[in-house]
Amino acid sequence: MERTVYVNGDYVPEREAKISVFDRGFLFADGVYEVTSVLNGKLVDFAGHMRRLRRSLDELQMRMPCSEEELLQIHRKLVEVNAVAEGLVYMQITRGAADRDFTYPESATPTLVLFTQARPVIASPVAERGARVVTVEDLRWGRRDIKTVQLLYPSMAKMIAKGQGVDDAWLVQDGKITEGTSNNTYIVTADGTIVTRDLSHDILPGITRAAVLNCVRELQMKVEERAFSVEEALSAREAFSTSATGFVCPVVEIDGTVLGDGKPGPVARRLRQIYIEESLKSAI
Ligand code: PDD
């Protein structure tokens, strides 16, 4: 079935969707995006994604293309017309079309595009067996806290990982893990402390990260938000990542070193289960 996508006010079959060749998203990667997961036809943590969207837009002096309520209605309508029971909604916002110039145009109208992907998110073969990752130097720009559409380096890093026969790359700067190609990263130390990098310009403030850290604190598990080294990760008891596309995903191997018994660890499995249960309850 051909998908219906949303482009600047219209719901159209995907083959008919068009934007300008002068769109600054195309010419300058001058745009931001959000990915919201869908469970039982409902949106997971929509409010969190809206908060981060506003922040990304503010940082780039871009305006909201329409109200938050309208964005919610567009998300819901696309989920409905495309019959997405489980999957993802991608929302892309660029500064719009303007004659090519490095300065931001004064009066471009933002481009707003949304599309869906229907696919299993809960039942995940990778989460079942645990992901294998390799470390790759983090060569992205210095404002990774803004969720921009410039995803070429994460894409290259993912290809390096695929080329080595593993699932993903964990990115490294000055010997410390920043995050995965499209997820936040965690280790569990020998004394059971969950460690994840603290928020700064170096990483994206994950919406799943925030929700999972809330669970962790409610469960009174030990947690430290700080940078951790590759060596620390290699000797960790277990590891995992979080994202809207993977929820909580156990990691069982880093750079060929098997963690623990090579199976998804109890902390990651428990947090995955709790996160899914909570998301099913709170989705709107
Ligand atoms: N990626 N870090 C990076 C670099 C990411 O691209 C993402 C999300 C995350 C996790 O954020 P969240 O929990 O809000 O999904 C962390 C999305 C899912 C993607 O581009 O597919």
Side-chain angles (χ1 to χ4, degrees):
M1 188 184 80
E2 191 181 3
R3 270 176 303 189
T4 296
V5 303
Y6 174 94
V7 184
N8 294 329
D10 296 319
Y11 294 87
V12 289
E14 63 181 80
R15 268 180 297 183
E16 289 169 28
K18 290 185 178 59
I19 58 167
S20 167
V21 295
F22 293 106
D23 194 282
R24 287 181 57 95
F26 176 60
L27 297 179
F28 291 97
D30 187 359
V32 301
Y33 75 114
E34 282 296 329
V35 187
T36 303
S37 48
V38 178
L39 291 180
N40 285 340
K42 292 183 175 172
L43 302 161
V44 175
D45 213 339
F46 185 77
H49 288 286
M50 286 301 111
R51 269 196 300 280
R52 186 172 62 192
L53 173 67
R54 280 185 189 282
R55 183 177 177 280
S56 294
L57 291 172
D58 280 351
E59 292 294 320
L60 298 175
Q61 298 165 42
M62 279 169 67
R63 56 189 169 84
M64 280 282 273
C66 58
S67 72
E68 204 170 301
E69 183 54 34
E70 281 167 302
L71 290 179
L72 175 60
Q73 293 320 320
I74 299 166
H75 275 75
R76 283 183 164 155
K77 180 148 180 198
L78 273 192
V79 167
E80 188 192 322
V81 296
N82 292 304
V84 182
E86 203 173 306
L88 304 157
V89 183
Y90 287 81
M91 174 174 59
Q92 316 282 135
I93 303 175
T94 76
R95 201 180 302 275
D99 200 10
R100 195 181 188 288
D101 190 286
F102 277 81
T103 56
Y104 298 163
E106 301 254 308
S107 62
T109 307
T111 300
L112 174 61
V113 169
L114 284 89
F115 60 90
T116 55
Q117 278 183 352
R119 62 159 146 124
V121 194
I122 296 179
S124 154
V126 179
E128 278 298 309
R129 64 168 162 80
R132 297 162 62 221
V133 305
V134 287
T135 56
V136 172
E137 191 183 353
D138 195 340
L139 295 179
R140 297 172 300 163
W141 77 325
R143 289 304 306 274
R144 305 160 194 152
D145 56 312
I146 309 172
K147 197 165 171 64
T148 75
V149 298
Q150 38 169 329
L151 297 173
L152 189 53
Y153 191 70
S155 192
M156 284 173 75
K158 187 93 179 180
M159 291 307 293
I160 293 171
K162 290 280 166 194
Q164 295 186 25
V166 300
D167 302 294
D168 198 10
W170 278 21
L171 304 173
V172 181
Q173 176 179 299
D174 302 329
K176 306 272 170 69
I177 310 281
T178 50
E179 55 190 335
T181 55
S182 57
N183 46 63
N184 292 115
T185 50
Y186 307 73
I187 55 169
V188 182
T189 63
D191 76 348
T193 306
I194 297 167
V195 182
T196 192
R197 193 164 177 122
D198 49 317
L199 297 183
S200 69
H201 288 176
D202 295 339
I203 64 165
L204 187 77
I207 302 308
T208 321
R209 177 187 185 279
V212 167
L213 289 184
N214 272 343
C215 292
V216 161
R217 293 199 171 101
E218 270 170 32
L219 295 166
Q220 299 189 340
M221 296 165 97
K222 278 183 284 181
V223 59
E224 281 175 18
E225 289 182 65
R226 62 165 173 84
F228 58 88
S229 66
V230 176
E231 289 68 38
E232 215 180 344
L234 295 181
S235 60
R237 192 190 274 181
E238 54 175 296
F240 59 95
S241 65
T242 64
S243 67
T245 48
F247 294 161
V248 178
C249 184
V251 168
V252 295
E253 187 189 301
I254 304 173
D255 287 342
T257 298
V258 174
L259 307 184
D261 62 1
K263 299 204 181 83
V267 173
R269 278 191 289 124
R270 183 168 179 220
L271 289 175
R272 180 177 176 83
Q273 192 192 345
I274 294 172
Y275 178 77
I276 291 171
E277 278 166 15
E278 290 302 314
S279 299
L280 283 166
K281 275 190 244 160
S282 61
I284 60 164

